[in-house]
Amino acid sequence: MFNKILIAADGSDHSIRCAEKALHLGEQNPQAHFTVVYAIDGQTSKEDILHHYDKTIVNEKRRQRLEPIINLLEQKGVTYVVEFIHGEPGPAIVEFANKGEYDLVVVGSRGLNALQEMVLGSVSHKIAKRVLAPVMIVK
């Protein structure tokens, strides 16, 4: 059974499907605890600040991106926390996951084409290769 489940999320449709799958797995264990992690890279941070000058507004907008996932967690009545971390998503999530000693990490697949994935590498691929816990990639 999975007690500590990490959901890598950015508010996209992929991350919402990822959260649904994680919840399905966690329903088997009433003591499951979920952590939703949102990695904010430098570019996203700059864009957020340029669009919204006030830091409280920036934080509220980031939380709104995760609202569909938070609503799912609250509907199921599970224990959860939301964490915002800074850094390039792949390495930042890997570091966060490995420090937290999670039983499972669930991440959505963005669906890069073969060339993009070969050149850039996908976040989900980086996480799957480097996280010490089992990783589920949800398409």
Side-chain angles (χ1 to χ4, degrees):
M1 287 206 166
F2 302 112
N3 291 322
K4 286 181 68 178
I5 300 174
L6 178 67
I7 302 169
D10 61 3
S12 67
D13 291 340
H14 298 283
S15 66
I16 294 168
R17 278 195 307 274
C18 164
E20 289 169 348
K21 185 53 111 176
L23 276 167
H24 178 72
L25 293 169
E27 285 177 335
Q28 312 305 318
N29 181 3
Q31 289 143 7
H33 181 309
F34 297 86
T35 301
V36 179
V37 65
Y38 179 23
I40 303 159
D41 65 1
Q43 184 63 34
T44 302
S45 185
K46 286 178 194 174
E47 289 173 9
D48 287 347
I49 296 298
L50 287 173
H51 288 96
H52 314 285
Y53 304 108
D54 187 358
K55 187 172 176 110
T56 56
I57 293 172
V58 170
N59 291 336
E60 182 59 32
K61 292 291 182 185
R62 289 174 179 164
R63 191 148 183 91
Q64 284 177 358
R65 287 183 199 139
L66 298 179
E67 200 165 296
I69 295 168
I70 293 168
N71 289 340
L72 283 171
L73 294 163
E74 288 183 354
Q75 285 173 3
K76 294 291 184 177
V78 298
T79 306
Y80 73 93
V81 295
V82 177
E83 297 284 344
F84 294 96
I85 59 175
H86 292 275
E88 185 183 337
I93 293 169
V94 168
E95 182 180 348
F96 186 86
N98 287 340
K99 283 183 182 176
E101 298 179 3
Y102 289 90
D103 297 320
L104 178 67
V105 177
V106 185
V107 62
S109 170
R110 277 286 171 114
L112 297 175
N113 68 38
L115 178 62
Q116 288 172 316
E117 189 162 342
M118 183 180 72
V119 174
L120 303 172
S122 69
V123 171
S124 57
H125 183 74
K126 290 174 186 173
I127 291 170
K129 280 178 57 177
R130 297 183 181 108
V131 168
L132 301 176
V135 175
M136 174 182 280
I137 300 173
V138 179
K139 287 189 164 213

